[in-house]
Structures are given as structure tokens and as C-alpha cells.
Amino acid sequence: MNNYRFMRSLLRFDLPVDTANQRRAYRQFVKFLKKQGFIRFQESIYVKLSINEAAVKCLARTIKNNVPAEGMVSMMTVTEKQFAGIDYMVGSFETDIIDSDSRFIEL
């Protein structure tokens, strides 16, 4: 199969979380996205792989029916090849966590 057939849907949202009802709507929407097969890409960006454009259109209808009353939700679709071409630019990152496959750690 060639990579042009598969599509990636990037869904981003900005939902208010000031009141208890808004926080509940936020949690329900994130839970809905996970049940639909979305994977968290960043804080408020989720991504899902679809087999073709028809599946993406069906997914968009499903999302439109489950969007919270407040806030903004948008979805962009790219081919798998375009998604694979994303350049990741990461700054320096320091942590105290030891990330090693070594079994011996001297304290």
C-alpha cells in the first residue's frame, strides 16, 4: 500500500475550564476523543490515523456532534507522508530522572 492513501487528522481545541461544568465538559470531550481512537500529540492537540478521506469525513461528522457548547475545536487533515515529514524542533531538556538501560546504578 502506498502512504498517500492514509490520512492523519490533527484535532486541536481550546476549551474553557473556569467552572465545574466547563471542566466536566472538557474531561468528557477528551474521553470521547480517546474512545474515537485519538492519541494525545500535545497538551490540546490529538491525532488519529484514518484509512482514507471517506473515513475522515465520517470522523468529522461524529466530532461535530460531540463538540462542547463552549470553546473552539478545529481539525486539519494531512496525508501520512506529510505527517511523516514533520520537523520536530526540541530545545534542551534537563531532568533528574536516570534514563538508562544499565542495571547498575551507583548512588
Side-chain angles (χ1 to χ4, degrees), residues 9-26:
S9 297
L10 287 102
L11 186 129
R12 63 186 183 140
F13 57 89
D14 187 15
L15 302 176
V17 290
D18 298 325
T19 67
N21 285 338
Q22 290 172 337
R23 286 189 294 276
R24 183 173 184 263
Y26 173 90

Side-chain angles (χ1 to χ4, degrees), residues 22-104:
Q22 290 172 337
R23 286 189 294 276
R24 183 173 184 263
Y26 173 90
R27 286 190 308 272
Q28 286 178 334
F29 186 64
V30 169
K31 190 181 227 182
F32 161 77
L33 291 177
K34 290 178 182 178
K35 284 184 179 179
Q36 293 299 310
F38 279 89
I39 299 169
R40 184 174 167 194
F41 191 66
Q42 285 186 352
E43 185 68 31
S44 293
I45 300 176
Y46 283 73
V47 65
K48 180 179 177 171
L49 178 67
S50 295
I51 190 80
N52 56 27
E53 195 171 340
V56 171
K57 288 179 181 179
C58 180
L59 178 65
R61 282 192 306 270
T62 303
I63 291 170
K64 284 179 185 178
N65 292 334
N66 289 279
V67 170
E70 299 179 77
M72 182 202 65
V73 177
S74 62
M75 189 170 85
M76 178 176 77
T77 304
V78 297
T79 64
E80 180 62 16
K81 186 168 185 171
Q82 290 169 325
F83 185 79
I86 292 176
D87 289 328
Y88 295 94
M89 293 160 253
V90 181
S92 63
F93 180 73
E94 293 183 25
T95 181
D96 292 338
I97 298 172
I98 300 170
D99 187 14
S100 171
D101 59 356
S102 175
R103 291 179 177 250
F104 177 73

